[in-house]
Amino acid sequence: MDWKLSEEFVTADGVVRWDRRGAGEPVVLLHGTPFSSVVWRAIAADLATDHEVFVWDMLGYGQSEMRSGQDVSLRAQGRIFADLLAEWGLDRPVVIAHDFGGAVSLRAHLLHGAEYAALALFDPVALAPWGSPFFRLVQEHSAVFERLPGNLHEALVREYVRSASSPGLAPEVLDELVSPWTGEAGQPAFYRQIAQADQRYTDEIEQRYGDISIPVTVCWGEDDEWIPPAKGEQLAAAVPRSELHLVPRAGHLVQLDAPGPVLDLVRRFLSRHAGHVRGATRDS
């Protein structure tokens, strides 16, 4: 399946790949870990019929550069996202973020001055404690896991990614999600991003959620086994005037498990905040 990010943004730690589709008011989509922007493909295609949709792979993920010594932490990704918005000429876009992308969008907003017209968070990493037992095990022994034979590493990643879906992923979709993490560059990159996933980067902003004044909606897969829906209730209670929507029959990969309901939520969210967006758009 074709999903190519044709543009480049150079950072101190490597090249970030990004793209834009469609024309109209700008919408920015952020992915989580261990995924890439491809998780938003179906949603992006629909939104691009009447919006300018920006997608990007975080540094060290997907089609972006992967190399030894990179800072791929939430700290770095939040700063990069704020810089990307400036590069794109976007003043106050609508931002839609999933998983780690939620933490990235929140850090960019609260610490780096990134302004949004509205923010939709899907199963975000936002509240302590986070990280599954597997995640913590790998974090503590990342150097050991890096040395796994390639076939065992791929089997481990495949099972890990599969567990993020409630109804199950089509084989070709699972292959596409796993593929970036294989090979000479991908295998160490997988363990690098886990090793640098430090909870302090959400601890730094958690007490500031009450200061958020932009419209926020929190959406959660009802069957999410990675981050339980109870975290969604906590987050919606912490962010003023936010609301929580549960997505039935969806796990953590909510946009792949239930693309129709997720698109309905996104469309309703955009319609409520139309006209409040400022930013660069292209002529169609």
Side-chain angles (χ1 to χ4, degrees):
M1 287 182 279
D2 183 42
W3 179 258
K4 184 169 178 56
L5 306 183
S6 59
E7 304 291 340
E8 294 185 350
F9 179 68
V10 179
T11 78
D13 280 296
V15 175
V16 167
R17 305 282 301 187
W18 65 275
D19 211 341
R20 69 181 105 197
R21 287 101 195 273
E25 291 189 332
V27 179
V28 183
L29 303 175
L30 284 79
H31 68 85
T33 183
F35 313 114
S36 70
S37 58
V38 74
V39 298
W40 288 114
R41 174 170 42 207
I43 306 298
D46 187 280
L47 295 181
T49 60
D50 52 7
H51 288 80
E52 185 174 32
V53 181
F54 291 78
V55 292
W56 65 294
D57 283 352
M58 292 191 291
L59 184 67
Y61 291 74
Q63 297 173 40
S64 290
E65 187 175 354
M66 301 175 176
R67 60 174 167 80
S68 177
Q70 283 180 315
D71 183 356
V72 295
S73 66
L74 287 171
R75 174 185 59 190
Q77 308 291 1
R79 184 179 63 248
I80 289 169
F81 182 50
D83 291 344
L84 264 176
L85 291 175
E87 172 75 8
W88 294 335
L90 299 183
D91 185 3
R92 293 181 70 245
V94 171
V95 172
I96 300 169
H98 175 243
D99 185 76
F100 260 39
V104 170
S105 65
L106 288 165
R107 284 185 65 87
H109 179 61
L110 292 169
L111 300 181
H112 301 292
E115 291 296 334
Y116 314 141
L119 175 62
L121 298 168
F122 284 84
D123 303 68
V125 173
L127 297 169
W130 50 264
S132 67
F134 166 79
F135 196 91
R136 290 193 292 273
L137 176 67
V138 172
Q139 198 169 50
E140 293 167 9
H141 305 284
S142 58
V144 175
F145 279 91
E146 256 188 67
R147 297 198 296 271
L148 281 173
N151 60 329
L152 294 181
H153 160 74
E154 182 174 344
L156 181 152
V157 176
R158 186 172 294 274
E159 190 56 39
Y160 181 51
V161 170
R162 184 185 284 117
S163 71
S165 170
S166 175
L169 298 167
E172 64 274 14
V173 173
L174 182 59
D175 288 346
E176 197 167 26
L177 295 178
V178 170
S179 177
W181 300 121
T182 60
E184 187 175 340
Q187 181 165 338
F190 178 79
Y191 299 111
R192 186 180 306 123
Q193 51 91 19
I194 293 179
Q196 295 183 29
D198 196 322
Q199 186 179 289
R200 66 188 165 118
Y201 297 130
T202 54
D203 290 345
E204 288 174 355
I205 57 173
E206 189 171 327
Q207 297 308 311
R208 298 185 57 183
Y209 293 161
D211 300 333
I212 296 174
S213 59
I214 59 172
V216 174
T217 190
V218 179
C219 306
W220 224 275
E222 216 170 45
D223 302 326
D224 189 341
E225 294 185 358
W226 281 22
I227 312 177
K231 288 287 186 185
E233 296 173 9
Q234 283 181 253
L235 183 59
V239 178
R241 297 173 297 283
S242 64
E243 52 191 30
L244 174 65
H245 299 277
L246 295 179
V247 182
R249 295 177 295 283
H252 188 69
L253 274 171
V254 61
Q255 65 275 73
L256 296 181
D257 286 355
V262 167
L263 182 59
D264 287 345
L265 283 169
V266 169
R267 282 287 184 187
R268 291 207 305 270
F269 186 65
L270 289 172
S271 69
R272 287 169 56 187
H273 303 293
H276 300 288
V277 181
R278 296 202 302 276
T281 58
R282 295 184 301 162
D283 293 332
S284 53

